[in-house]
């Protein structure tokens, strides 16, 4: 059986239910009700709870992979790739902002429709490269620096956009400036 084409109204409803109940509370019945449809109608179309959640997470993962690819193949310095990669993170979050605001576990739920994706891997690579080429401060664990940078940018950007209604440009510029400034080598 092929995957059903998912109605965008069902995906939006799934995000709304997720925001109210968390991942474990999302049911096909609640999503159908929120979308103004009956559970049996949705079920007859071949839609499942898992298919809905997978579609949401796959969309984020696919967007991230495609957006990050040019940086992974770039020969720029580690610092430049890290900064651009954090900018890409803001842009991906922006395109999926309702989902990210609904749950702070979006980047931890995996990629259920296909293979697992570790969102930190590119940032670890960029930090290691930046520490090696001298464009980023050394001495700290690259894994920890990448994890802190990712989380500082992802959640601060999301919070400023969703809860303080800052513009995407303002939130991205302010957050990236602050995070990147803290990662530069001492002069």
């Amino acid at each position: 059986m092929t995957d059903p084409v998912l109605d965008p109204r069902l995906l939006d409803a799934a995000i709304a239910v997720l925001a109210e109940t968390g991942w474990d509370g999302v049911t096909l019945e609640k999503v159908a009700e929120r979308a103004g449809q009956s559970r049996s109608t949705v079920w007859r179309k071949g839609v499942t709870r898992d298919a809905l959640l997978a579609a949401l997470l796959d969309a984020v993962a696919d967007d991230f992979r495609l957006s990050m690819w040019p940086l992974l193949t770039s020969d720029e310095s580690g610092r430049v790739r890290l900064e651009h990669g954090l900018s890409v993170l803001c842009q991906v979050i922006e395109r999926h902002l309702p989902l990210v605001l609904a749950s702070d576990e979006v980047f931890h739920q995996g990629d259920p429709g296909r293979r697992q994706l570790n969102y930190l891997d590119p940032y670890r690579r960029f930090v290691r490269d930046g520490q090696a080429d001298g464009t980023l401060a050394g001495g700290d664990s690259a894994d920890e620096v990448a994890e802190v940078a990712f989380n500082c940018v992802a959640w601060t950007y999301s919070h400023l956009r969703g809860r303080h209604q800052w513009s995407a440009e303002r939130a991205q510029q302010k957050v990236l400036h602050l995070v990147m400034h803290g990662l530069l080598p001492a002069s």
Side-chain angles (χ1 to χ4, degrees):
M1 180 177 179
T2 60
D3 289 335
V5 175
L6 295 174
D7 181 339
R9 293 174 298 176
L10 287 174
L11 295 172
D12 290 343
I15 293 170
V17 172
L18 174 64
E20 293 170 1
T21 67
W23 295 94
D24 292 336
V26 175
T27 65
L28 194 57
E29 183 175 10
K30 288 177 185 175
V31 172
E33 181 182 320
R34 177 58 71 100
Q37 301 178 30
S38 73
R39 185 196 60 78
S40 59
T41 299
V42 172
W43 182 79
R44 278 194 303 271
K45 293 177 183 177
V47 176
T48 65
R49 171 197 184 275
D50 290 344
L52 286 168
L53 296 179
L56 293 172
L57 295 173
D58 283 350
V60 175
D62 288 345
D63 190 358
F64 184 82
R65 281 186 190 100
L66 289 172
S67 299
M68 195 59 74
W69 182 249
L71 295 173
L72 291 168
T73 59
S74 169
D75 60 359
E76 295 281 347
S77 71
R79 184 197 63 77
V80 168
R81 286 182 293 137
L82 177 62
E83 186 166 9
H84 287 144
L86 293 171
S87 177
V88 162
L89 177 60
C90 292
Q91 294 160 21
V92 168
I93 289 170
E94 187 64 30
R95 289 188 290 270
H96 303 275
L97 192 57
L99 176 60
V100 174
L101 292 173
S103 173
D104 65 357
E105 296 181 20
V106 170
F107 298 111
H108 298 286
Q109 287 293 319
D111 186 8
R114 284 171 278 216
R115 61 191 174 280
Q116 294 297 309
L117 173 68
N118 189 321
Y119 288 94
L120 287 178
D121 283 347
Y123 301 100
R124 290 179 178 125
R125 179 175 166 189
F126 302 153
V127 171
R128 279 189 199 98
D129 291 350
Q131 288 175 336
D133 68 24
T135 58
L136 294 173
D140 290 325
S141 160
D143 290 351
E144 286 182 2
V145 170
E147 189 167 353
V148 169
F150 179 95
N151 282 287
C152 282
V153 170
W155 306 120
T156 305
Y157 176 85
S158 300
H159 184 79
L160 292 171
R161 288 289 295 124
R163 305 298 183 238
H164 295 270
Q165 285 72 47
W166 282 26
S167 71
E169 181 180 335
R170 179 180 177 207
Q172 180 177 320
Q173 189 272 330
K174 297 292 186 183
V175 172
L176 290 183
H177 176 77
L178 182 65
V179 169
M180 290 306 300
H181 183 75
L183 297 174
L184 297 178
S187 51

